[in-house]
Amino acid sequence: MLLREPGGTVLAWSAGCERLFGIPAAAAIGRPARALLGAAPPASVEEAEAVLRREGHWSGELALRLPDGRVRRVAACWLLHAPDKGAPLVLEAALPLPGEGRPALDRLEAVAGFGTWELDLALGGAWLSPGCRALHGLPAEGEPPAPRAWLALLHPQDRAPVLRAARTALRGGGALRCRFRLRPPGQAERWVEARGGCPGPRRLLGILLDITAQKTEEERTALVMREVGHRARNALASVQALLRLTRAETPRAYARALEGRVAALGRAHALLANESWSGAALRDVLEAEFAPYIADAPARLAMEGPTVALEAGTVQPLSMAVHELVTNAAKHGALSRPEGRVRLSWQVGAEGLRLAWLERGGPPLPGPPPRRGFGSSLLRSLVEVQLGGSASLRWEREGLACEILLPRRALAP
Amino acid sequence: MTRLTGRRILVVEDEALVAMLVEDALQDAGATIIGPVATVAEALALLEREMPDAAVLDLNLAGETSTPVADVLAARQVPFVVATGYGAEGLPSAHADVPVLAKPYDPDELTAALGRLWG
């Protein structure tokens, strides 16, 4: 409620006015009412003033334009008080129309992180709430951006689809729901979703939600799905290669060799999955490969070395390489006898990881095998081609010795 | 079965097992293998010294795309086939005509695709 002179100067400004229009009494009193609460087109204040002078009162709906550019729709009632003695006064009462309870909504926007907006083609203007302005990177108060300036804040690819969605909603009077990218000046691009509808002809209003986090998550999920598909295809290609390349004397021996190798692949994938495909610890890789052979006699494996984190891409080839050494030891070497032992020791230096494998206590070795089997070819191929390292094997009489060198890039940084 | 007798074929593949399978299949078909190599840098270094008759190129090498290798091969007019674990997605449009094999593929498909490179 406000009191003013018929000429317009504000004499009193209620707490309700302060709340409704966001203008403190101190800033309002003494100023022309229409400078504070201008009439947005097509409302004509002149007409209302004429009725007020003629009949002593006027009531109706007004769209008031505030100094910061916002438009408030109110149901207004004006009364002219002309006492016999003293100056005449005008009392203006205004009630916010539904949806015009801004102060409460502004607080809600701030805590919930969304914005509201309104497009009124009849009034020829747009209005963005403080929350909506924040999403656009605009200062909390000020003129709303002109249509062209607003479009310029959108990702170029999203402009036409957004206009199309708005036109469709306006034409059909239906709901609006669209997602687009905003490029707030000086800020990172953000994804937003507009949801709204048409409460009347040529009016469109709704909310604007920041969905950047959701979009990022969706993109991450799509990437993970793509990666999982890629890994599955590669794992299948590896299994297919094993099927073709594994050689054995009997079908039974073939099946056993193949099962062992596929199981090693599987263990590597399980280790990686445990760590969200980020890598695995060297000790875990070694233990996983030995586990089936030393379950009842853990003392047969001695491990000595610092904690080493392996790069994700190293885990599968190294698991398979170690598997080849372990199965060979179980068939022909130290793990083929109860008293046999395997000692694994490693260091990390400037050139990378140096892993030494030493078998003792197995049957005496006559020397290198007459021809290189698939197992040792696979070991070399995994370590030298895939991991860019080197593998050297020495068939010492007391047992096999192997040294594997992996470059630094095979290790987690 | 396609014969590749006497052809010198560069193998660029970062999965050791797949590389071995490719090597095995190509050797069976009579080809000579150059490589295999597992990284873009190694492939480019090898191409400085060698002039293969054709190449088998994995699209994704330890997380990096092998497009630079494809560019050099195309510039030197070395025909090649591409293998990928990413389904139907292939190389950039500059290499749109290159045959693409989706992993896992039958090694016979590879030798057949290589055989077709010479018409």
Side-chain angles (χ1 to χ4, degrees):
Chain A
M1 197 175 292
L2 68 88
L3 272 179
R4 63 170 167 91
E5 294 172 354
T9 307
V10 173
L11 302 169
W13 187 264
S14 73
C17 272
E18 289 187 325
R19 258 200 318 277
L20 180 58
F21 302 118
I23 302 170
I29 292 168
R31 297 193 59 201
R34 295 282 80 83
L36 299 165
L37 308 173
S44 161
V45 192
E46 285 74 35
E47 217 173 288
E49 289 281 352
V51 174
L52 178 70
R53 274 194 299 275
R54 197 167 60 239
E55 302 181 9
H57 58 87
W58 173 86
S59 60
E61 276 186 33
L62 269 186
L64 298 174
R65 190 180 290 285
L66 304 187
D68 63 7
R70 289 179 294 168
V71 173
R72 280 277 179 283
R73 287 163 193 290
V74 293
C77 178
W78 296 359
L79 218 74
L80 179 63
H81 176 61
D84 298 336
K85 280 186 242 169
L89 289 173
V90 177
L91 175 81
E92 284 191 24
L95 275 176
L97 286 174
E100 291 287 325
R102 286 308 312 175
L105 201 50
D106 287 351
R107 280 197 297 278
L108 185 60
E109 283 188 358
V111 292
F114 70 100
T116 44
W117 50 269
E118 187 172 342
L119 182 68
D120 197 322
L121 296 182
L123 287 179
W127 172 78
L128 309 181
S129 73
C132 196
R133 295 181 63 91
L135 287 173
H136 285 77
L138 297 168
E141 289 183 7
E143 284 290 313
R148 211 178 287 271
W150 179 74
L151 270 184
L153 293 173
L154 268 64
H155 189 289
Q157 282 175 3
D158 297 343
R159 290 172 194 164
V162 168
L163 285 179
R164 207 160 34 235
R167 242 178 251 129
T168 308
L170 280 166
R171 199 178 299 137
L176 170 89
R177 191 159 179 166
C178 60
R179 292 173 157 204
F180 53 95
R181 283 158 287 182
L182 275 180
R183 294 175 153 181
Q187 291 180 28
E189 180 178 280
R190 58 168 60 99
W191 271 98
V192 292
E193 179 170 322
R195 295 187 199 176
C198 301
R202 313 194 67 199
R203 265 185 88 197
L204 196 58
L205 53 84
I207 60 169
L208 197 67
L209 289 168
D210 189 333
I211 57 161
T212 309
Q214 193 182 332
K215 267 280 177 191
T216 310
E217 185 56 27
E218 281 171 17
E219 275 160 24
R220 206 189 64 86
T221 306
L223 196 73
V224 167
M225 290 309 293
R226 203 173 114 89
E227 248 340 277
V228 166
H230 174 66
R231 283 177 207 276
R233 282 171 177 279
N234 275 343
L236 280 175
S238 297
V239 170
Q240 185 199 30
L242 285 173
L243 278 169
R244 296 234 175 193
L245 297 170
T246 296
R247 301 272 182 275
E249 305 278 323
T250 64
R252 216 189 134 107
Y254 171 83
R256 195 173 299 149
L258 188 65
E259 274 166 10
R261 285 171 179 148
V262 173
L265 263 178
R267 282 191 293 271
H269 280 247
L271 278 176
L272 280 169
N274 283 346
E275 302 292 326
S276 316
W277 302 90
S278 62
L282 172 65
R283 192 176 281 265
D284 291 344
V285 167
L286 299 173
E287 271 175 359
E289 290 311 316
F290 271 94
Y293 298 94
I294 58 162
D296 14 308
R300 302 182 72 188
L301 170 67
M303 290 199 286
E304 201 186 308
T307 303
V308 177
L310 301 172
E311 187 64 31
T314 306
V315 176
Q316 184 198 306
L318 186 64
S319 292
M320 301 214 62
V322 173
H323 171 77
E324 292 306 319
L325 287 168
V326 173
T327 44
N328 181 69
K331 260 193 281 184
H332 314 291
L335 295 180
S336 68
R337 286 191 179 175
E339 64 275 23
R341 302 271 185 278
V342 178
R343 186 189 148 77
L344 279 169
S345 54
W346 62 87
Q347 301 105 42
V348 177
E351 81 285 19
L353 171 74
R354 184 182 293 269
L355 173 69
W357 167 289
L358 192 67
E359 294 180 36
R360 286 296 180 258
L365 297 184
R371 56 172 199 89
R372 191 194 274 191
F374 170 63
S376 62
S377 301
L378 178 57
L379 172 71
R380 281 180 200 284
S381 182
L382 289 163
V383 173
E384 292 174 3
V385 178
Q386 188 161 352
L387 293 174
S390 67
S392 67
L393 291 161
R394 288 195 317 279
W395 285 266
E396 295 168 356
R397 194 169 165 72
E398 305 81 16
L400 181 71
C402 173
E403 190 173 76
I404 291 175
L405 271 168
L406 295 185
R408 278 218 80 97
R409 65 178 156 86
L411 313 180
Chain B
M1 200 183 99
T2 315
R3 296 301 302 168
L4 301 169
T5 314
R7 302 288 193 187
R8 289 159 41 80
I9 299 176
L10 169 66
V11 177
V12 186
E13 166 62 61
D14 69 340
E15 292 272 331
L17 272 167
V18 178
M20 288 175 81
L21 179 66
V22 168
E23 236 181 312
D24 197 63
L26 298 188
Q27 273 165 352
D28 275 357
T32 304
I33 308 301
I34 302 177
V37 287
T39 63
V40 169
E42 286 168 333
L44 294 179
L46 199 55
L47 279 168
E48 303 248 303
R49 306 193 299 270
E50 302 268 3
M51 181 67 183
D53 295 318
V56 182
L57 184 60
D58 185 359
L59 199 53
N60 187 288
L61 296 173
E64 56 178 343
T65 163
S66 57
T67 308
V69 183
D71 294 341
V72 170
L73 290 170
R76 296 179 60 180
Q77 294 182 317
V78 176
F80 61 100
V81 297
V82 152
T84 169
Y86 284 111
E89 287 168 60
L91 282 164
S93 52
H95 303 285
D97 301 337
V98 174
V100 176
L101 292 172
K103 283 184 180 179
Y105 53 81
D106 186 330
D108 292 343
E109 277 177 52
L110 172 66
T111 46
L114 283 169
R116 281 194 293 272
L117 291 179
W118 295 284

